[in-house]
Amino acid sequence: GQQLNQSPQSMFIQEGEDVSMNCTSSSIFNTWLWYKQDPGEGPVLLIALYKAGELTSNGRLTAQFGITRKDSFLNISASIPSDVGIYFCAGPSGYSSASKIIFGSGTRLSIRP
Amino acid sequence: DTGVSQDPRHKITKRGQNVTFRCDPISEHNRLYWYRQTLGQGPEFLTYFQNEAQLEKSRLLSDRFSAERPKGSFSTLEIQRTEQGDSAMYLCASSLLTGGNRAGELFFGEGSRLTVL
């Protein structure tokens, strides 16, 4: 079945740094979704992308839908402590965007003391 | 609160017992998902419903797991004869499938954490 691979698995950043992470798949996705999960809570949707090449921002977050439709990127500018958490990419597993939604294994973001 | 709610938030049980989790989705949402999440992993798909119809159940799921959404509103996930490997966070999410196809915009509950001793 389709799988989503996220990299890096974890990263330590200094407050104020920019952050980049990505998500790849061996097959084409029609929708890319980025979620953030804080400890003890369910994931929360950050950004949704629906067209190849699309670049969408949500505050300091920017995500891009890769041209090949097999990858997506999430950037966080000028990181702050509340950015700490786990970031997941997700997408519909079939050709229809109404297919079940599957998730990557996440990128854990921590602040370097 | 009009978000997705799950009950109970925590459940500790002995191996071999049955457990049931309940999920109340956002009221106008027609899709409801169940996921399982273990430490360091992303949410793993278990099953999902559109209204009261169960559309798919993960092949990884044994027959000990069953889910229902009898009236297209709340859903229950039952695990029979629990095993220690069932210990995990069980997440419920809902979404609204429309002609605009934004069905991937899931709203999650806070999860039900299961510990099997």
Side-chain angles (χ1 to χ4, degrees), chain A residues 32 49-56 63-69 71:
Chain A
W32 287 95
L49 302 159
Y50 296 98
K51 265 175 65 172
E54 181 181 355
L55 189 72
T56 297
Q64 183 160 25
F65 192 139
I67 289 290
T68 65
R69 296 165 68 190
D71 57 10

Side-chain angles (χ1 to χ4, degrees), chain A residues 20-65:
Chain A
S20 291
M21 60 189 79
N22 68 49
C23 183
T24 60
S25 171
S26 57
S27 52
I28 288 171
F29 272 68
N30 292 320
T31 299
W32 287 95
L33 306 154
W34 285 93
Y35 286 81
K36 178 180 182 246
Q37 187 175 28
D38 291 328
E41 299 184 10
V44 173
L45 181 67
L46 300 173
I47 293 179
L49 302 159
Y50 296 98
K51 265 175 65 172
E54 181 181 355
L55 189 72
T56 297
S57 293
N58 178 5
R60 293 176 297 104
L61 277 61
T62 302
Q64 183 160 25
F65 192 139

